[in-house]
Every structure is written in C-alpha cells, then in structure tokens.
Amino acid sequence: MLTIGSNLSALNAQTQLDKSHKKTEQTLAELSSGTQLSSAAVNAANTALSQSLEAQVRGDNQASNNALDGISLVQTADGALSQLQDNSQQLQDLAIQAGDAALSSSNRQSLQQQADQLTQSNSAIIQNTQYNGTPLLSSNNALQFQIGPDGNSSNQISVNTTDLSASPASGGLHSYNANLNATGTIDLSSPASALAAQSHIQTDLNTISSSRTQLGASSNQFTAAINNLQNSALNAQAANSRISDTDYAAATAQLVQQQLLGQAALAIQGQANISQRSALSLLG
C-alpha cells in the first residue's frame, strides 16, 4: 500500500540505524578503554564479579607487601642475633683460655678487657636493634602480620620478639648489662670464675640459637605466604582479564560489521524516502 501518512520502511531503517550507532559507540568505548565493562549497564553481573576479583588482587598484593615487611623485620633481628652469637662464641673461647692456671695476672687482665669489649658490644646490640622503632631484642612482643586479603585472623603470622635484656633467669643473656660501659659482666679474673663464665656463655649461646630458630621458622612462613599470594593474585588477575578485557580482534571485526550495517541502514533509509515521494507523482 502506497501512503504518505506513515513511512514504515524509513522508520524501520531509522531503528536499525540507531541500533547500529549504539553498538558502534559501545565497541569504540571498548577499544579505547581496553575493557568490555566500560559501564555497569553493559553487564551488571560481570561488572560485580570483576570488581570482586580486582579487590582480591589488590588485597593479595598488599598482603604480599606485609609479608615482605615481615621478612625484613626477621632479617634485621636475625642479623643482630648472628653478631651476638659470634661475640658469645668469642667470649666462650676467652673463658676457656682463662681457665689456664699458667696465665699471669697481666694475661688475665688482657683477656678481661677483650671480654668487656664483647659484652659491651652485646649490650649495645640488644638495646639498639629496632625495626621502624619497634625493639626486637629488648622486649617480649607478639607482632602480628596480616598475610591474607579478607581480614581473617587465620591469615596472620606472629613474630615473637625476645627480651635478651631481661635477667638470665627470665631468658636474658649473662653477657648483657644495661650500663653499656660496664666491665666484669663476664668475669675472667680467675680459673674458677672462668669456669662459671663458660657455663653462663653456653646458656647464652643456647638462648640465641633458640631465638634464631624461631625467626627462621617465621621467615619460612612468610616466604610460603608470599608464594601463595602471588599465585592467587595471578589467577584472579587472569580470571578478571577474561571477564573484563577487550578482545581487540573480535571488537575490531564487530566495529567493521556495525559500520557496514550503519551504511546499509542509511542507504535503505534513502531508498525508503524516495519511495514515499513517489506517491506524490500520482497527484501530477
């Protein structure tokens, strides 16, 4: 039927042109932004899932940073304990040497001076070893590190610091003195005192060894946590990429298709307008 009141062909062509134009705009947005989810309206469910995965990735990455901080703290404490161990071993050697009854008083004085230097060094290390202001060898603390993205208390590693400044009966070192200039902390003035010193220093070495063992276990925990977090972040990132990232090959092909459809719709609309004007020729 030939009419001039309604041009259904032109209206249909216009509808198709609008659809093609909107799809073209969406495809261009995907190509320019690199994501299929330029707005939540595109795919609300995938947008929510993508945001959840992104939050997991960021949480995993921050937890990895926390674990790296934990490793740095442990290494700081272990480095100080290593020096304490070396100093204490030298003290043990001096104490054994001081057990020689053939030594003269000047010999013993020389050994005592060396022992005093070592005990003063130990005391300074214990007092001054810190990590970002937190004492590591002069207080008993349980330092908690969050190594999971969900705030779960089970995703924590605790590092226990040791108070080596305490009395030996409470876990401190015999070679420690709060006065950094103190002398005679380890007494080598006689064979009898040297024998007692050997026992005390052996206790110190055991205490230091135990502390280093605990720190080593904590370091292994941090390393394992980092490996797990990196794998988790990688898998979550890959999943998010499949959901949100633009497939440029597919998007480019779709853009060409939408452009061709738009051009076809324009051509059809032109033809529909020509057909509508043909009705007027009947009036001439």
Side-chain angles (χ1 to χ4, degrees), residues 216-236:
S218 296
S219 181
N220 290 336
Q221 283 184 292
F222 283 124
T223 300
I226 289 172
N227 290 337
N228 181 61
L229 288 165
Q230 289 176 339
N231 288 333
S232 176
L234 179 61
N235 291 331

Side-chain angles (χ1 to χ4, degrees), residues 116 119-125 127-128 176-183:
D116 290 342
T119 57
Q120 289 167 9
S121 174
N122 280 2
S123 300
I125 290 171
Q127 287 188 18
N128 297 327
Y176 172 80
N177 195 308
N179 179 4
L180 298 184
N181 295 316
T183 59

Side-chain angles (χ1 to χ4, degrees), residues 27 29-37 241 244-249 251:
T27 303
E30 291 180 10
L31 289 169
S32 62
S33 66
T35 176
Q36 302 178 59
L37 307 174
S241 176
S244 63
D245 288 354
T246 298
D247 183 342
Y248 275 79

Side-chain angles (χ1 to χ4, degrees), residues 90-104 107-109 111-112 186-199 201:
Q90 292 182 58
L91 282 169
Q92 184 75 309
D93 294 342
L94 293 172
I96 294 172
Q97 186 177 357
D100 187 350
L103 295 176
S104 66
N107 294 148
R108 292 191 184 282
Q109 184 177 8
L111 292 176
Q112 186 64 60
I186 294 294
D187 185 8
L188 303 181
S189 60
S190 68
S193 61
L195 184 62
Q198 292 176 42
S199 176
I201 297 168

Side-chain angles (χ1 to χ4, degrees), residues 60-70 145-146 226 229:
D60 284 340
N61 289 338
Q62 183 57 58
S64 292
N65 290 335
N66 291 355
L68 288 172
D69 286 341
F145 290 83
Q146 186 69 36
I226 289 172
L229 288 165

Side-chain angles (χ1 to χ4, degrees), residues 13-283:
Q14 181 62 47
T15 299
Q16 296 302 320
L17 181 61
D18 288 343
K19 289 181 179 179
S20 177
H21 181 66
K22 290 177 181 178
K23 289 182 179 180
T24 299
E25 286 183 339
Q26 180 181 330
T27 303
L28 288 172
E30 291 180 10
L31 289 169
S32 62
S33 66
T35 176
Q36 302 178 59
L37 307 174
S38 54
S39 71
V42 175
N43 190 319
N46 279 356
T47 298
L49 181 56
S50 176
Q51 290 176 345
S52 177
L53 289 169
E54 183 178 355
Q56 180 180 338
V57 170
R58 295 181 64 174
D60 284 340
N61 289 338
Q62 183 57 58
S64 292
N65 290 335
N66 291 355
L68 288 172
D69 286 341
I71 288 178
S72 297
L73 182 146
V74 167
Q75 289 176 338
T76 300
D78 187 61
L81 286 170
S82 177
Q83 188 58 57
L84 288 176
Q85 193 170 41
D86 289 344
N87 288 353
S88 297
Q89 189 60 63
Q90 292 182 58
L91 282 169
Q92 184 75 309
D93 294 342
L94 293 172
I96 294 172
Q97 186 177 357
D100 187 350
L103 295 176
S104 66
S105 59
S106 62
N107 294 148
R108 292 191 184 282
Q109 184 177 8
S110 177
L111 292 176
Q112 186 64 60
Q113 288 176 346
Q114 294 180 60
D116 290 342
Q117 291 175 350
L118 290 168
T119 57
Q120 289 167 9
S121 174
N122 280 2
S123 300
I125 290 171
I126 291 171
Q127 287 188 18
N128 297 327
T129 300
Q130 299 180 349
Y131 185 83
N132 196 30
T134 301
L136 301 180
L137 301 179
S138 59
S139 64
N140 288 317
N141 291 313
L143 306 177
Q144 302 293 336
F145 290 83
Q146 186 69 36
I147 47 86
D150 54 5
N152 193 324
S153 60
S154 64
N155 289 330
Q156 290 182 337
I157 292 177
S158 179
V159 178
N160 295 315
T161 62
T162 304
D163 187 4
L164 299 181
S165 67
S167 66
S170 300
L173 298 187
H174 291 85
S175 61
Y176 172 80
N177 195 308
N179 179 4
L180 298 184
N181 295 316
T183 59
T185 302
I186 294 294
D187 185 8
L188 303 181
S189 60
S190 68
S193 61
L195 184 62
Q198 292 176 42
S199 176
H200 291 161
I201 297 168
Q202 185 58 55
T203 300
D204 286 358
L205 286 168
N206 293 339
T207 298
I208 295 170
S209 178
S210 176
S211 296
R212 295 193 71 185
T213 298
Q214 292 179 8
L215 290 174
S218 296
S219 181
N220 290 336
Q221 283 184 292
F222 283 124
T223 300
I226 289 172
N227 290 337
N228 181 61
L229 288 165
Q230 289 176 339
N231 288 333
S232 176
L234 179 61
N235 291 331
Q237 187 65 57
N240 190 32
S241 176
R242 289 190 292 270
I243 293 171
S244 63
D245 288 354
T246 298
D247 183 342
Y248 275 79
T252 302
Q254 185 177 22
L255 177 63
V256 172
Q257 180 186 33
Q258 296 304 327
Q259 289 174 337
L260 290 174
L261 289 173
Q263 293 172 6
L266 283 173
I268 294 300
Q269 188 172 31
Q271 291 295 324
N273 290 336
I274 292 174
S275 297
Q276 192 76 355
R277 286 196 298 269
S278 67
L280 298 177
S281 64
L282 298 176
L283 301 177

